[in-house]
Amino acid sequence: MLRHDVGAPVRRHAGTLVRRCAGTPVRRPRVLVLGLAAVTLATTTAPLRGQVRVASPDGRNVVTAQLREGRLTYSLARDGRALVLPSLLGFEFREAPPLRDGLRITDTTRQSHDEWWTQPWGEVARVRDHHNELAVSVAETTAPNRRFILRVRAFDDGVGFRYEFPEQPGLGAFEITDELTEFSFADNPRAWSIPSDRPRMDRSEMLYSSGPLSVLDRVQTPLTMETRDGRTFIVLHEANLVDYARMNLRTMRLEDRTVRADLAPMGDGIKVRGRTPFVTPWRTIQLADRVTELSPALLGLNLNPPNVLASTDWIRPMKYVGIWWGMHINTMTWASGPRHGATTANAKRYIDFAAANGFGGVLVEGWNVGWDGDWIANRNAFTFTRAYPDYDLAEVAAYARQRGVRLIVHNETSGGIQNYERQLDSAFALYRSLGLDAIKTGYVTDTTAEGHSHWSQFMVRHYRRVIEAAARNGIMLDVHESIHDTGERRTYPNMMTREGARGQEYNAWSGDGGNPPEHETILFFTRLLAGPMDFTPGIFDLLIERGTGRPRRPDEARVRTTLAKQLALYVVLYSPLQMAADLPENYEGQPAFQFIRDVAADWDTTRVLDGRIGDYVVVARRERGGQSWFVGAITDEEGRTFDVPLSFLTPGRRYVAEIYADGPNANWLDNPLPVTITRRTVTSMTRLRLVLAPGGGQAIRIRPAG
Ligand code: NOJ
Ligand code: CA
């Protein structure tokens, strides 16, 4: 009975509000019809004083905010089962006492929201934002009587909460030294994680490992977890990171199941500088019964403000090729010299290849002065407007335009942030004047030239500045060595894709031999839940013979997948800017290249048909603005067979399935190249049997027949 207290979802139209001041009767008779029962119970039930709840629209996810000995905590239950136990909220400041103790609830407000919105591009076209909101105002009972609001939104696919600091006498300018937000798990779930404090600490370019939450140390988000009974998948992350430090997580006590927000510091150790009024990013807890329901993750997008751009017509997903892999396998250089990749002639060759094969863009790296010598150490020497003498930017831009291809400009900063920001306006104005509307940025460094963590508030502000400058100049962005995605693309759809994980490039040169076959099956359920990734699939010369002059040995860096799996990655690893990463010459005479030519880069619908983290994934997506479906299936080092019902197809309609499967005896280790291409007629009643080789995959295009 008590469950219908203030926590009962208030079902009304979007935007209506019920307000209750603690200990006083309801003030707005207008909403009594719907709010009365809830409010009356809460104010008359002594044991529940200091405790308020909000439930998701389906009633399954319930967040309780509660005062415990003067401290504000929250907890989370799903289907009545505790997932997150009462967990601490609060902050520590420099030169001010912690904001944590001696609190009282002064006010609560509620709101419900139900709205559909359309993504200009994405994994799905239409998104439903359906949630119930609870805002809990708290204040210190003693001076300086600081106050904040805990705003909670409960969705069917998870919950988000954030802190809001109104303007107030007791809190003006502040310096946060620690955010005390905790996540105390009832269970000791299994977590798939990458560290936040070990080699390449600021780049997210590590391999994932899995283990019980209690043995984690410091890790990055999104952090994907599975409860021990397998009933619930939980993903911790954040949304709408605008002017704050990135949140990592750290375990609080050894053998404990509590993780705490671990904010990335600026050079002087301060985590966040701010001034009221101020809001933090949302802390998000995505929930699903089955792992296949985690993707596409929409919770974070719903917690970002809507698109602010007047027009998004110019923002177009595309596939692209680039003067890129050659540098990674050492057949070309970024620097000037005899093997300089970014020459006018080379760029035109790539543009011709793109035009001939229907690619939307061509990336050119190493075009601008600054690459000679140690380009990481010399980061402040990069210019973003001056090209090397053998590269005529204006000529290449004009040629690209004439061939109907977009030139993607490369801006590697190596973390020389002020150097880049100084040039931002002039560089973007130049690109704009040449009709260039896409940039790939890069931040190869561990600490910025200014001495800040890659993930600090300093960098968060920088990334935002670049997004805004790009938006003003009509430029789409692909960011490498990026901070994690917190849903920026909803507000700025020109922020299209990013790296922020260990991508294909590691297969070219990494000392540990490249990405293991399971890697992408983990990425899908971890990194990709934050947003699109520029993984750069599509390597056909898997043993990198053209680079090395001989097939690379199994212990050397090479691509540890079959060729069919490279094709499947186009469907599995979503990116609105999707690269065909290999050298054009490696696609010549390859029938399997047709799949890369055909596959879409923008989707109307996405269905995850099957999957297990670290083992396999099967995904079906319908192209945006068309009737074709694409299926991608990938496996780890084990061969697997799937029976896939095509029930997602329109009933009664006939389709042709073009199937790119691992060939006989294919396997990633010593026979990765064979691909069998077959065609057959299918309908929504068909079950397709997909046989995947060890380290293999399968890619299918299903287009309407006739
Ligand atoms: C690392 C990026 O991930 C890669 O794509 C780029 O080629 C190099 N940095 C050079 O900027
Ligand atoms: Ca990288």
Side-chain angles (χ1 to χ4, degrees), residues 205 444 480-481 499 501 505-506:
E205 297 182 357
V444 176
H480 274 234
E481 294 78 46
E499 187 189 41
E505 61 184 4
Y506 277 72

Side-chain angles (χ1 to χ4, degrees), residues 602-662:
D602 192 17
W603 309 103
D604 204 36
T605 306
T606 289
R607 309 261 172 88
V608 183
L609 304 177
D610 206 350
R612 211 159 60 202
I613 309 176
D615 295 338
Y616 58 88
V617 193
V618 185
V619 187
R621 304 190 199 262
R622 193 177 71 226
E623 66 183 343
R624 184 81 71 108
Q627 290 305 314
S628 293
W629 285 79
F630 291 83
V631 176
I634 60 170
T635 179
D636 61 0
E637 63 291 337
E638 292 208 10
R640 295 176 202 276
T641 301
F642 301 95
D643 275 310
V644 177
L646 303 185
S647 50
F648 49 82
L649 298 177
T650 306
R653 188 160 191 178
R654 278 155 43 85
Y655 295 81
V656 176
E658 298 164 359
I659 302 168
Y660 298 74
D662 288 318

Side-chain angles (χ1 to χ4, degrees), residues 422-686:
R422 257 196 308 274
Q423 301 182 53
L424 213 52
D425 288 339
S426 53
F428 285 14
L430 170 70
Y431 307 154
R432 186 187 188 141
S433 73
L434 295 172
L436 306 177
D437 60 4
I439 297 180
K440 170 180 171 181
T441 57
Y443 296 86
V444 176
T445 181
D446 283 337
T447 307
T448 75
E450 299 74 23
H452 301 292
S453 152
H454 232 114
W455 300 333
S456 59
Q457 184 185 24
F458 171 87
M459 280 304 280
V460 171
R461 287 177 170 168
H462 167 72
Y463 288 119
R464 186 54 65 139
R465 236 172 253 145
V466 175
I467 292 175
E468 289 171 359
R472 278 198 303 278
N473 286 284
I475 290 170
M476 302 182 281
L477 282 174
D478 169 6
V479 183
H480 274 234
E481 294 78 46
S482 55
I483 198 162
H484 61 192
D485 191 325
T486 70
E488 291 75 12
R489 66 191 181 281
R490 172 146 190 219
T491 315
Y492 288 98
N494 64 311
M495 177 58 247
M496 300 195 76
T497 191
R498 60 183 95 198
E499 187 189 41
R502 193 167 140 135
Q504 183 91 272
E505 61 184 4
Y506 277 72
N507 295 330
W509 40 252
S510 85
D512 55 10
N515 301 327
E518 68 170 10
H519 183 55
E520 299 86 357
T521 72
I522 304 175
L523 282 182
F524 181 82
F525 293 109
T526 52
R527 159 66 184 81
L528 272 288
L529 298 180
M533 175 178 175
D534 188 29
F535 178 85
T536 71
I539 298 302
F540 276 25
D541 179 15
L542 297 162
L543 306 182
I544 315 188
E545 295 189 52
R546 203 178 289 268
T548 314
R550 57 162 176 83
R552 289 196 184 168
R553 295 186 311 267
D555 62 321
E556 292 180 291
R558 50 182 240 184
V559 184
R560 298 170 170 222
T561 73
T562 64
L563 196 134
K565 181 169 172 179
Q566 286 294 312
L567 301 179
L569 293 176
Y570 283 87
V571 186
V572 174
L573 297 181
Y574 170 61
S575 181
L577 301 176
Q578 188 70 286
M579 190 175 201
D582 212 337
L583 309 175
E585 47 271 41
N586 287 337
Y587 294 129
E588 267 163 32
Q590 291 276 5
F593 181 53
Q594 186 60 39
F595 183 82
I596 303 181
R597 296 176 49 151
D598 291 337
V599 69
D602 192 17
W603 309 103
D604 204 36
T605 306
T606 289
R607 309 261 172 88
V608 183
L609 304 177
D610 206 350
R612 211 159 60 202
I613 309 176
D615 295 338
Y616 58 88
V617 193
V618 185
V619 187
R621 304 190 199 262
R622 193 177 71 226
E623 66 183 343
R624 184 81 71 108
Q627 290 305 314
S628 293
W629 285 79
F630 291 83
V631 176
I634 60 170
T635 179
D636 61 0
E637 63 291 337
E638 292 208 10
R640 295 176 202 276
T641 301
F642 301 95
D643 275 310
V644 177
L646 303 185
S647 50
F648 49 82
L649 298 177
T650 306
R653 188 160 191 178
R654 278 155 43 85
Y655 295 81
V656 176
E658 298 164 359
I659 302 168
Y660 298 74
D662 288 318
N665 301 319
N667 70 75
W668 70 273
L669 182 63
D670 51 27
N671 193 26
L673 297 177
V675 177
T676 305
I677 306 174
T678 52
R679 264 182 200 80
R680 57 174 283 196
T681 303
V682 296
T683 68
S684 63
M685 306 294 285
T686 308

